[in-house]
Amino acid sequence: MVVPERMSLTDIQTRIAQAEARAQRAPGSVHLIAVSKEQPEARVLPVLEAGHRVFGENRVQEAAGKWPDWQNRFGKVELHLLGPLQTNKARQAMALVDVIHSLDRPKLAQALARLAQEIGDCPQLFVQVNTGMEPQKAGILPADADQFIAECRALDLPVIGLMCIPPVEEDPGPHFTHLAQIAQRNDLTQLSMGMSDDFETAIAHGATHIRVGSAIFGARR
Ligand SMILES: *Cc1c(COP(=O)(O)O)cnc(C)c1O
């Protein structure tokens, strides 16, 4: 696998703006989620100091260990949970994050709906779709997506869009196209797709949320 070269936040922002322009999309229509999982504080603080306030994490436990302190120092940050969520961590996740990108099964939908009723609030949700149909990967299968989205809506869950992680060895373009099609036929406007290696392709295919880690912070250990 190619390890992306480290770049500054402003370089990434410039590349996003150029990709938006090439796709004839409005400036600022793409949200940059800086994925800080497994990154040391020395790499995260400069991005906070530069004023960035949208971050992504993979694990509830790890995020809970870092972000309360950083938010005390830098103020409110919009936190996105990107990794698989176990139902027994759902309550903690809901208290900590603003957006969950990994809603991928009925059992989790039911747990979130129950908690949302109890708490009176719920993070915004992306349904994760396993567009590559990889057995080891999380996500609802494309064939089951329409029904699952309907189930989530029947539970009053605030589903705003779809998320995918294309197979590493494949051209991501067709996966992004497929995700956009499923979103469109379900009247969902938000698309969480694109990472360090393919965010410009994702923007060309309509991504509204890109999840960029190593290209901002450097390679993870
Ligand atoms: C780690 C991760 C990212 C960021 O990956 P990079 O290649 O470092 O940009 C994005 N999305 C998810 C779901 C991840 O787990």
Side-chain angles (χ1 to χ4, degrees):
M1 220 183 93
V2 184
V3 177
E5 226 180 289
R6 188 174 176 193
M7 288 172 225
S8 75
L9 179 67
T10 48
D11 286 343
I12 296 288
Q13 286 164 336
T14 303
R15 286 173 59 190
I16 293 170
Q18 288 166 344
E20 285 171 340
R22 277 196 303 273
Q24 299 184 315
R25 299 185 46 189
S29 55
V30 176
H31 300 265
L32 170 61
I33 303 169
V35 183
S36 49
K37 66 177 183 201
E38 298 167 41
Q39 296 287 358
E41 182 171 81
R43 290 179 177 182
V44 179
L45 295 191
V47 177
L48 280 162
E49 276 155 10
H52 196 72
R53 289 295 179 268
V54 185
F55 289 83
E57 290 284 343
N58 255 30
R59 295 162 178 274
V60 178
Q61 219 66 29
E62 184 187 339
K66 304 186 299 194
W67 281 104
D69 173 40
W70 290 343
Q71 295 196 85
N72 279 339
R73 288 151 71 187
F74 290 90
K76 167 73 185 148
V77 159
E78 185 180 298
L79 272 185
H80 293 248
L81 181 68
L82 310 176
L85 177 58
Q86 294 170 274
T87 50
N88 63 6
K89 299 260 168 63
R91 183 185 292 275
Q92 195 185 5
M94 288 172 81
L96 186 70
V97 308
D98 303 286
V99 188
I100 296 172
H101 292 239
S102 48
L103 173 53
D104 64 350
R105 58 196 193 281
K107 201 177 155 209
L108 179 60
Q110 287 150 17
L112 291 174
R114 220 171 19 246
L115 288 163
Q117 280 250 313
E118 180 195 317
I119 301 162
D121 197 14
C122 188
Q124 295 189 311
L125 302 170
F126 284 87
V127 167
Q128 182 175 354
V129 183
N130 186 354
T131 58
M133 298 190 283
E134 296 171 281
Q136 81 285 6
K137 204 169 264 178
I140 196 98
L141 291 173
D144 301 330
D146 295 351
Q147 197 198 328
F148 181 59
I149 294 162
E151 278 174 42
C152 293
R153 285 179 163 151
L155 289 167
D156 271 335
L157 287 172
V159 174
I160 60 166
L162 303 181
M163 180 271 229
C164 77
I165 309 170
V168 201
E169 303 296 336
E170 286 181 32
D171 174 6
H175 294 275
F176 296 154
T177 302
H178 193 184
L179 195 73
Q181 286 167 347
I182 299 171
Q184 190 174 32
R185 70 172 182 248
N186 285 283
D187 289 322
L188 290 168
T189 55
Q190 309 296 299
L191 291 168
S192 167
M193 54 192 202
M195 309 183 7
S196 290
D197 286 336
D198 57 17
F199 69 87
E200 284 146 320
T201 307
I203 292 170
H205 286 81
T208 58
H209 295 68
I210 59 172
R211 314 177 307 263
V212 181
S214 42
I216 295 174
F217 298 105
R220 289 177 291 276
R221 288 91 207 267

